[in-house]
Amino acid sequence: MTPAQSGAAPDLVELAKIVARQRAEMDRLRDQAAVSAVVERAKGAVMALTGCSADAAGEQLLQRAKSARHTLLEECWITLGTLAPMPSGPGRASESYGIEAPGRAGALQEPGVPDDVAAALARLGQALVRVMTPHDLARCLLEHLGPDMSADAVLIYTRRPDGGLGLIGHAGIDDKLAAQWCQVPPLSGMAALDALQAGEPRWLEDFAADERRYLLIGDPPDRWRSRAWLPVLAAGSAEVCIGVLRGRAGAFTPRDRAHLRGVTALCAGRLRAFEIPPERDADAATDAVQALFEALPVAAMLLTPLRSATGEIEDFRVEAATTQVGDLLGRTGEEPAGRRLLELRPALAAEPVWQGCLHVLATGSAYEGEPFAHEEVVAGVAELSVYRARVAPLGDALVVSWIRHGSSDRQEQRLADLQRLGNLGWANWNLATQEASWSTQVFSLVGRDPAHGPVPLPEVPKLALPEDTPALTRAVGELVHDGRPFDVPFRIRTSGGIRHLRLVAEAVPDRYGTPVEVHGFVQDMTARRRAELALVESERAILTQHDVLQAERTLASRLQHALLPMSNRPVHLAGLRVEVAYLPAQSGVHVGGDWFSAIELPDGDALLVVGDVAGHGVDAVATMAQLRFTAKGMVITGSSLTGALARLNTLLLHSRDSHTTATMVLARYEPRRRRLVWAQAGHPPPLLLRDGRARYLARPGGMLLGAAARPVYQEAECRLDPGDRLILYTDGLVEHPPDSIDRGLEQLAEAVAAPHGDGPGSLGPLLARMLPDVRRDDVCVVDVRVPGPEDR
């Protein structure tokens, strides 16, 4: 790898970090600019009220915020919420406002507001600067109130000129329910209307009583067991009401009520700051455009974009629309013209046509969407129709139309989809006129230029490879003469290599039974055929590998049995009773490298060894034999335990496979002093059972064999008393994934300490308790007992 290549990945990482920092900085600057805009607008309001300078207005806002114990941004929202609209007139801007004397209504001015509520309102005030639409506001409030008071939905209604309510924002409810409750007539028994008319919140905390008194929103209504409707007061009156709906029953606590009042005080300023689109002027030009659209035979509408203060598209206004548009938008019978698009269908922002509109505005190029199904009622019967949306630019506006596919169009589309998905094409041959017709897909499959036309039926076998031609020729002849259908695979050679095809055909006879026409299809079977061949090769390789592994296992097993002679009963060494057990793995086809050794040395001491070679198979068994016999030989000839481990480590490092490692415990028992000296190389420690209590011996230092050139090995010793029991083992006894080895060690100590028999078969219950039904690794156990007085 060149240096440039080796540094490519870090360069990409650094570039990603730089981009992330730049995005974070842009977000910070955007929020800072939005906050500054809110503060400057509030300062302007104070200047208009008091006639003071900009600096004095800023200082006055700071003093108000300090005295009310909230942030400057909260104070600015409250100030903007006190703006009272003034009538437009000559010489007056259309968005001119008066300012109510700041009597500071709302929960933010109530004494004793909890500190956590004040902190939550401060966070909400900061979040409001990123809110651009009433829908954004509803989502923001739900994110704010959901964790705090278990709010499940937020609805925002505004008063309509007829006295009813219009839903301008919602979160936590689906579009179907929003469509049902988007327009509320001026009827009695609506909690939101009641709250607006009284100018006071309505707390609906007893569902049974509330259901008798009010018409409750919901499908079913008991989806939300408690609700709060709070009017948003501005200049002493309320035109907007915010509803907070909870699934759980129960009253709103005083803290919750103070919190919600503070929320509405902040929202007053945010709602005032929204860009309100100008009303449509009913002039002759508008009427002419609407009349033109009403005459169109398709569903279509004319849209003008509505932009936020930052210039981004936040919605579209419907300037004119045909009568069919209401049905496609889910508003059958309603007049779309003059309304916002997202008001008609809030879910449209997540649909492809919305992105298509943005694409057309950005590029000026027309957009055509994918076909989609729409259920409509025709003559009282529900039918499923297929439409395709198109968006085209018209000056600064957009024309959106929906083209309905006819039955023939749908059939052609279905046939094209079938051919594409099945990787096939249709073909027809007229035997009387010798005319033929192929679909475009057939030309592509056989690699033939459509300009050359279809191949006559008798010449189709010539397309195949020579070895496949006879079978295809015979099938075509039997079809033409006898009318016998066929399904024949064949291969052709293309520029991309060999392609496997399948031709299925049948004949259409005349009234005398003579074939006069042939129709069928050609299908590409290359991918399937390759998969079949790959599967056959894989199965063949698996069988071969299985035979090799089985032979290796048999050989390794025979070697292992020859090298590890097992005794059917305990043996007595240097005054100890020793019982051994070896159990091979039950899963897999390899034999492991676990081993043991228990012998009496020439001086009367006992040598006890347990080891485990990494890996499986013949190599592991060979390494096991080398270590087993070498260890015994070195100790018999006078080597210390640590010296023997050091030499075994050197032996592994210089073996044919220098990557082999192993773990081992070497223990020497002196019967005269009942002294046990032991050393280990990366192996689990022995377990000592004394007086019914089990504990692991403290491990002396020692790294596994074959891992380092100069490891340091240490010895440890302990005295064995009459009646003691010592367990040496390999990791297969205590390691059972997914449980950790620590858990396995705990289970072994519990099993050894449990009541047990002292007969020759006492290892059986221990192994049965410790081992799973299917063993993944070999298990080797050496059970050493110091006879007590009762054993003599």
Side-chain angles (χ1 to χ4, degrees):
M1 181 179 290
T2 64
Q5 290 172 328
S6 64
D11 291 343
L12 290 176
V13 173
E14 287 300 319
L15 182 58
K17 291 180 179 179
I18 293 173
V19 171
R21 287 197 297 269
Q22 289 178 340
R23 286 177 177 173
E25 180 63 16
M26 291 177 62
D27 291 340
R28 187 188 67 80
L29 292 175
R30 188 180 295 112
D31 288 349
Q32 183 177 350
V35 170
S36 298
V38 174
V39 173
E40 291 302 318
R41 188 168 181 178
K43 287 167 62 176
V46 175
M47 291 168 60
L49 176 65
T50 63
C52 65
S53 65
D55 291 340
E59 183 63 27
Q60 189 175 142
L61 288 172
L62 284 172
Q63 291 300 324
R64 290 182 188 175
K66 184 176 180 180
S67 62
R69 295 177 56 243
H70 53 249
T71 65
L72 174 62
L73 189 57
E74 290 176 89
E75 178 62 37
C76 292
W77 285 127
I78 296 168
T79 301
L80 293 174
T82 62
L83 295 176
M86 299 185 67
S88 300
R92 188 181 299 275
S94 61
E95 291 191 3
S96 175
Y97 297 96
I99 303 177
E100 180 188 29
R104 318 202 48 78
L108 290 179
Q109 289 72 52
E110 293 181 1
V113 172
D115 292 340
D116 61 331
V117 172
L121 293 174
R123 291 192 297 271
L124 176 61
Q126 185 68 37
L128 289 179
V129 301
R130 292 185 291 273
V131 169
M132 303 307 298
T133 67
H135 283 292
D136 291 343
L137 178 59
R139 286 190 289 268
C140 178
L141 293 180
L142 184 57
E143 292 173 0
H144 177 80
L145 298 174
D148 186 85
M149 61 182 68
S150 302
D152 295 305
V154 171
L155 285 74
I156 304 177
Y157 278 100
T158 186
R159 196 195 303 267
R160 296 191 332 211
D162 62 357
L165 297 177
L167 183 65
I168 60 173
H170 63 82
I173 67 172
D174 54 38
D175 292 335
K176 180 179 179 181
L177 187 61
Q180 293 174 351
W181 292 90
C182 65
Q183 303 290 335
V184 178
L187 302 175
S188 60
M190 291 299 301
L193 271 173
D194 192 10
L196 279 179
Q197 292 168 357
E200 292 290 339
R202 290 294 179 257
W203 310 100
L204 281 62
E205 301 164 327
D206 183 344
F207 181 78
D210 297 332
E211 192 174 27
R212 291 192 298 269
R213 181 179 180 185
Y214 294 115
L215 179 62
L216 300 180
I217 295 174
D219 187 16
D222 61 358
R223 175 181 174 184
W224 294 295
R225 309 290 297 185
S226 59
R227 311 154 190 245
W229 291 98
L230 298 101
V232 180
L233 296 174
S237 63
E239 297 296 324
V240 176
C241 188
I242 297 177
V244 179
L245 286 61
R246 303 190 303 185
R248 66 177 178 87
F252 290 87
T253 66
R255 175 194 175 280
D256 293 341
R257 297 190 177 198
H259 192 171
L260 289 174
R261 287 193 178 96
V263 167
T264 56
L266 289 178
C267 290
R270 177 68 272 183
L271 289 165
R272 176 70 69 188
F274 284 143
E275 182 73 18
I276 305 301
E279 295 293 329
R280 294 173 72 244
D281 294 329
D283 54 17
T286 302
D287 294 340
V289 171
Q290 180 60 41
L292 172 63
F293 268 74
E294 289 176 354
L296 294 177
V298 297
M301 60 183 176
L302 179 66
L303 302 179
T304 55
L306 300 176
R307 302 181 183 272
S308 65
T310 60
E312 298 180 355
I313 303 295
E314 63 178 16
D315 205 344
F316 293 89
R317 185 172 57 244
V318 182
E319 300 294 350
T322 62
T323 55
Q324 303 97 313
V325 168
D327 180 60
L328 285 169
L329 295 179
R331 295 300 184 92
T332 303
E334 295 186 19
E335 174 59 48
R339 298 171 64 179
R340 287 184 175 226
L341 189 57
L342 292 183
E343 174 191 349
L344 292 167
R345 185 179 177 86
L348 197 68
E351 296 179 8
V353 68
W354 178 271
Q355 297 300 323
C357 292
L358 300 181
H359 171 78
V360 173
L361 283 178
T363 64
S365 302
Y367 162 82
E368 183 168 322
E370 294 294 326
F372 66 93
H374 173 72
E375 186 178 88
E376 55 189 357
V377 178
V378 179
V381 179
E383 292 184 358
L384 197 64
S385 302
V386 177
Y387 286 86
R388 185 189 299 269
R390 295 177 180 173
V391 184
L394 182 62
D396 295 333
L398 299 176
V399 176
V400 182
S401 58
W402 287 270
I403 308 301
R404 186 174 184 267
H405 289 252
S407 59
S408 60
D409 295 336
R410 292 199 297 273
Q411 292 294 341
E412 290 183 7
Q413 183 64 42
R414 289 169 183 168
L415 182 58
D417 292 341
L418 176 64
Q419 294 184 87
R420 174 177 53 82
L421 295 173
N423 210 4
L424 53 81
W426 56 264
N428 284 325
W429 291 274
N430 190 312
L431 302 182
T433 63
Q434 302 303 315
E435 295 178 348
S437 59
W438 286 1
S439 69
T440 305
Q441 189 77 358
V442 174
F443 287 100
S444 175
L445 292 177
V446 302
R448 182 177 177 85
D449 188 348
H452 297 157
V455 174
L457 184 59
E459 299 180 12
V460 167
K462 298 180 181 179
L463 298 173
L465 295 180
E467 50 267 39
D468 295 342
T469 299
L472 192 56
T473 302
R474 183 169 55 255
V476 170
E478 292 176 349
L479 174 69
V480 172
H481 295 97
D482 303 329
R484 182 178 301 172
F486 67 81
D487 183 344
V488 177
F490 64 97
R491 294 166 295 170
I492 65 172
R493 190 181 304 276
T494 67
S495 58
I498 300 298
R499 180 173 293 172
H500 295 261
L501 300 179
R502 170 194 181 199
L503 176 58
V504 180
E506 65 178 5
V508 179
D510 59 12
R511 61 179 178 173
Y512 302 108
T514 303
V516 294
E517 187 176 359
V518 172
H519 55 252
F521 66 86
V522 180
Q523 186 175 17
D524 187 355
M525 307 293 289
T526 305
R528 178 177 176 179
R529 183 57 179 161
R530 288 175 179 171
E532 291 173 350
L533 294 175
L535 180 60
V536 171
E537 289 297 323
S538 176
E539 291 176 348
R540 184 178 299 140
I542 289 174
L543 291 175
T544 302
Q545 184 68 11
H546 182 270
D547 293 341
V548 172
L549 294 175
Q550 192 62 42
E552 180 179 323
R553 177 182 175 85
T554 302
L555 175 60
S557 180
R558 290 177 179 175
L559 286 173
Q560 193 174 53
H561 285 299
L563 296 172
L564 294 176
M566 297 290 296
S567 175
N568 294 328
R569 56 185 179 179
V571 297
H572 296 274
L573 305 172
L576 302 174
R577 192 187 79 171
V578 180
E579 185 178 355
V580 296
Y582 172 77
L583 299 175
Q586 291 177 316
S587 62
V589 296
H590 289 308
V591 177
D594 292 19
W595 88 93
F596 66 89
S597 184
I599 63 171
E600 189 168 309
L601 299 174
D603 59 1
D605 293 353
L607 176 64
L608 305 170
V609 186
V610 167
D612 184 3
V613 175
H616 297 81
V618 175
D619 291 339
V621 174
T623 303
M624 174 267 287
Q626 187 179 37
L627 294 177
R628 182 173 186 267
F629 292 117
T630 304
K632 289 197 299 184
M634 285 191 291
V635 176
I636 289 174
T637 56
S639 293
S640 64
L641 300 183
T642 55
L645 289 177
R647 290 180 177 86
L648 291 174
N649 180 74
T650 303
L651 178 66
L652 275 188
L653 287 175
H654 294 84
S655 64
R656 178 170 56 87
D657 184 0
S658 59
H659 300 293
T660 301
T661 59
T663 65
M664 183 187 299
V665 168
L666 281 174
R668 182 169 188 153
Y669 176 70
E670 300 178 20
R672 292 175 299 278
R673 294 188 292 172
R674 294 203 301 271
R675 176 173 172 263
L676 181 76
V677 180
W678 68 288
Q680 62 86 30
H683 201 87
L687 176 66
L688 176 64
L689 176 66
R690 175 174 293 169
D691 298 329
R693 298 182 60 185
R695 67 177 179 89
Y696 290 96
L697 300 182
R699 290 175 61 190
M703 184 179 296
L704 77 163
L705 303 176
R710 293 181 178 83
V712 176
Y713 297 102
Q714 299 174 345
E715 291 182 349
E717 66 175 75
C718 71
R719 179 183 173 87
L720 297 182
D721 296 335
D724 284 355
R725 184 183 184 187
L726 189 71
I727 304 292
L728 285 72
Y729 54 92
T730 56
D731 58 0
L733 184 65
V734 294
E735 193 170 23
H736 309 300
D739 292 340
S740 66
I741 192 171
D742 291 336
R743 177 57 184 153
L745 292 171
E746 292 175 3
Q747 292 174 341
L748 176 59
E750 294 170 359
V752 171
H756 53 79
D758 291 330
S762 60
L763 266 180
L766 173 64
L767 296 176
R769 180 170 178 177
M770 286 297 301
L771 298 178
D773 295 336
V774 178
R775 296 185 299 277
R776 300 183 179 182
D777 198 2
D778 293 3
V779 176
C780 188
V781 182
V782 176
D783 186 1
V784 181
R785 296 171 185 263
V786 182
E790 66 278 4
D791 299 322
R792 293 190 176 93

